[in-house]
mmCIF file of all heavy atoms in Angstrom:
data_model
loop_
_atom_site.group_PDB
_atom_site.id
_atom_site.type_symbol
_atom_site.label_atom_id
_atom_site.label_comp_id
_atom_site.label_asym_id
_atom_site.label_seq_id
_atom_site.Cartn_x
_atom_site.Cartn_y
_atom_site.Cartn_z
ATOM 1 N N ARG A 200 -24.402 14.320 0.402
ATOM 2 C CA ARG A 200 -24.218 13.149 -0.468
ATOM 3 C C ARG A 200 -23.467 13.540 -1.742
ATOM 4 O O ARG A 200 -22.572 12.837 -2.191
ATOM 5 C CB ARG A 200 -25.576 12.543 -0.823
ATOM 6 C CG ARG A 200 -26.318 11.998 0.390
ATOM 7 C CD ARG A 200 -27.679 11.456 0.012
ATOM 8 N NE ARG A 200 -28.505 11.295 1.197
ATOM 9 C CZ ARG A 200 -29.385 10.320 1.368
ATOM 10 N NH1 ARG A 200 -29.538 9.400 0.437
ATOM 11 N NH2 ARG A 200 -30.112 10.259 2.454
ATOM 12 N N TYR A 201 -23.862 14.675 -2.309
ATOM 13 C CA TYR A 201 -23.168 15.159 -3.511
ATOM 14 C C TYR A 201 -21.700 15.460 -3.190
ATOM 15 O O TYR A 201 -20.789 15.024 -3.895
ATOM 16 C CB TYR A 201 -23.861 16.415 -4.047
ATOM 17 C CG TYR A 201 -22.920 17.356 -4.752
ATOM 18 C CD1 TYR A 201 -22.434 17.072 -6.032
ATOM 19 C CD2 TYR A 201 -22.483 18.525 -4.122
ATOM 20 C CE1 TYR A 201 -21.547 17.924 -6.667
ATOM 21 C CE2 TYR A 201 -21.597 19.375 -4.752
ATOM 22 C CZ TYR A 201 -21.129 19.074 -6.024
ATOM 23 O OH TYR A 201 -20.247 19.912 -6.634
ATOM 24 N N MET A 202 -21.481 16.227 -2.099
ATOM 25 C CA MET A 202 -20.126 16.667 -1.783
ATOM 26 C C MET A 202 -19.227 15.475 -1.454
ATOM 27 O O MET A 202 -18.078 15.409 -1.884
ATOM 28 C CB MET A 202 -20.151 17.648 -0.610
ATOM 29 C CG MET A 202 -18.821 18.357 -0.402
ATOM 30 S SD MET A 202 -18.885 19.527 0.968
ATOM 31 C CE MET A 202 -19.021 18.393 2.337
ATOM 32 N N SER A 203 -19.739 14.525 -0.685
ATOM 33 C CA SER A 203 -18.950 13.342 -0.353
ATOM 34 C C SER A 203 -18.590 12.552 -1.603
ATOM 35 O O SER A 203 -17.487 12.008 -1.714
ATOM 36 C CB SER A 203 -19.728 12.443 0.616
ATOM 37 O OG SER A 203 -20.022 13.134 1.803
ATOM 38 N N THR A 204 -19.518 12.493 -2.549
ATOM 39 C CA THR A 204 -19.269 11.781 -3.802
ATOM 40 C C THR A 204 -18.105 12.414 -4.559
ATOM 41 O O THR A 204 -17.156 11.725 -4.972
ATOM 42 C CB THR A 204 -20.532 11.792 -4.680
ATOM 43 O OG1 THR A 204 -21.594 11.159 -3.969
ATOM 44 C CG2 THR A 204 -20.292 11.063 -5.993
ATOM 45 N N VAL A 205 -18.162 13.732 -4.733
ATOM 46 C CA VAL A 205 -17.102 14.387 -5.505
ATOM 47 C C VAL A 205 -15.794 14.444 -4.722
ATOM 48 O O VAL A 205 -14.706 14.418 -5.306
ATOM 49 C CB VAL A 205 -17.534 15.795 -5.977
ATOM 50 C CG1 VAL A 205 -18.693 15.694 -6.958
ATOM 51 C CG2 VAL A 205 -17.877 16.708 -4.816
ATOM 52 N N PHE A 206 -15.874 14.484 -3.388
ATOM 53 C CA PHE A 206 -14.653 14.436 -2.567
ATOM 54 C C PHE A 206 -13.945 13.090 -2.756
ATOM 55 O O PHE A 206 -12.722 13.031 -2.871
ATOM 56 C CB PHE A 206 -14.994 14.641 -1.091
ATOM 57 C CG PHE A 206 -14.935 16.083 -0.641
ATOM 58 C CD1 PHE A 206 -15.295 17.113 -1.499
ATOM 59 C CD2 PHE A 206 -14.542 16.416 0.648
ATOM 60 C CE1 PHE A 206 -15.256 18.436 -1.092
ATOM 61 C CE2 PHE A 206 -14.494 17.736 1.067
ATOM 62 C CZ PHE A 206 -14.856 18.748 0.202
ATOM 63 N N GLY A 207 -14.720 12.011 -2.747
ATOM 64 C CA GLY A 207 -14.126 10.690 -2.947
ATOM 65 C C GLY A 207 -13.476 10.566 -4.305
ATOM 66 O O GLY A 207 -12.370 10.020 -4.441
ATOM 67 N N PHE A 208 -14.145 11.095 -5.325
ATOM 68 C CA PHE A 208 -13.585 11.080 -6.679
ATOM 69 C C PHE A 208 -12.284 11.873 -6.728
ATOM 70 O O PHE A 208 -11.267 11.418 -7.261
ATOM 71 C CB PHE A 208 -14.609 11.678 -7.656
ATOM 72 C CG PHE A 208 -14.096 11.850 -9.053
ATOM 73 C CD1 PHE A 208 -14.071 10.787 -9.939
ATOM 74 C CD2 PHE A 208 -13.617 13.084 -9.488
ATOM 75 C CE1 PHE A 208 -13.597 10.945 -11.237
ATOM 76 C CE2 PHE A 208 -13.136 13.252 -10.769
ATOM 77 C CZ PHE A 208 -13.120 12.172 -11.649
ATOM 78 N N ALA A 209 -12.298 13.100 -6.142
ATOM 79 C CA ALA A 209 -11.115 13.964 -6.179
ATOM 80 C C ALA A 209 -9.961 13.367 -5.380
ATOM 81 O O ALA A 209 -8.787 13.541 -5.738
ATOM 82 C CB ALA A 209 -11.465 15.348 -5.629
ATOM 83 N N ALA A 210 -10.276 12.642 -4.296
ATOM 84 C CA ALA A 210 -9.227 12.036 -3.476
ATOM 85 C C ALA A 210 -8.469 10.959 -4.262
ATOM 86 O O ALA A 210 -7.228 10.909 -4.244
ATOM 87 C CB ALA A 210 -9.839 11.442 -2.209
ATOM 88 N N VAL A 211 -9.199 10.132 -4.994
ATOM 89 C CA VAL A 211 -8.546 9.091 -5.796
ATOM 90 C C VAL A 211 -7.754 9.721 -6.945
ATOM 91 O O VAL A 211 -6.623 9.310 -7.245
ATOM 92 C CB VAL A 211 -9.588 8.083 -6.335
ATOM 93 C CG1 VAL A 211 -8.945 7.119 -7.324
ATOM 94 C CG2 VAL A 211 -10.202 7.308 -5.183
ATOM 95 N N ARG A 212 -8.330 10.730 -7.567
ATOM 96 C CA ARG A 212 -7.643 11.408 -8.672
ATOM 97 C C ARG A 212 -6.310 11.997 -8.207
ATOM 98 O O ARG A 212 -5.287 11.876 -8.887
ATOM 99 C CB ARG A 212 -8.541 12.504 -9.245
ATOM 100 C CG ARG A 212 -7.947 13.222 -10.456
ATOM 101 C CD ARG A 212 -8.938 14.188 -11.071
ATOM 102 N NE ARG A 212 -9.377 15.198 -10.119
ATOM 103 C CZ ARG A 212 -10.338 16.082 -10.370
ATOM 104 N NH1 ARG A 212 -10.981 16.047 -11.533
ATOM 105 N NH2 ARG A 212 -10.685 16.977 -9.480
ATOM 106 N N GLU A 213 -6.314 12.639 -7.036
ATOM 107 C CA GLU A 213 -5.070 13.217 -6.515
ATOM 108 C C GLU A 213 -4.084 12.122 -6.128
ATOM 109 O O GLU A 213 -2.872 12.250 -6.354
ATOM 110 C CB GLU A 213 -5.369 14.105 -5.302
ATOM 111 C CG GLU A 213 -4.144 14.590 -4.538
ATOM 112 C CD GLU A 213 -3.170 15.396 -5.389
ATOM 113 O OE1 GLU A 213 -3.586 15.967 -6.415
ATOM 114 O OE2 GLU A 213 -1.973 15.451 -5.019
#
Side-chain angles (χ1 to χ4, degrees):
R200 296 178 196 215
Y201 150 75
M202 191 179 69
S203 300
T204 300
V205 295
F206 268 34
F208 174 82
V211 172
R212 183 174 59 187
E213 171 59 23

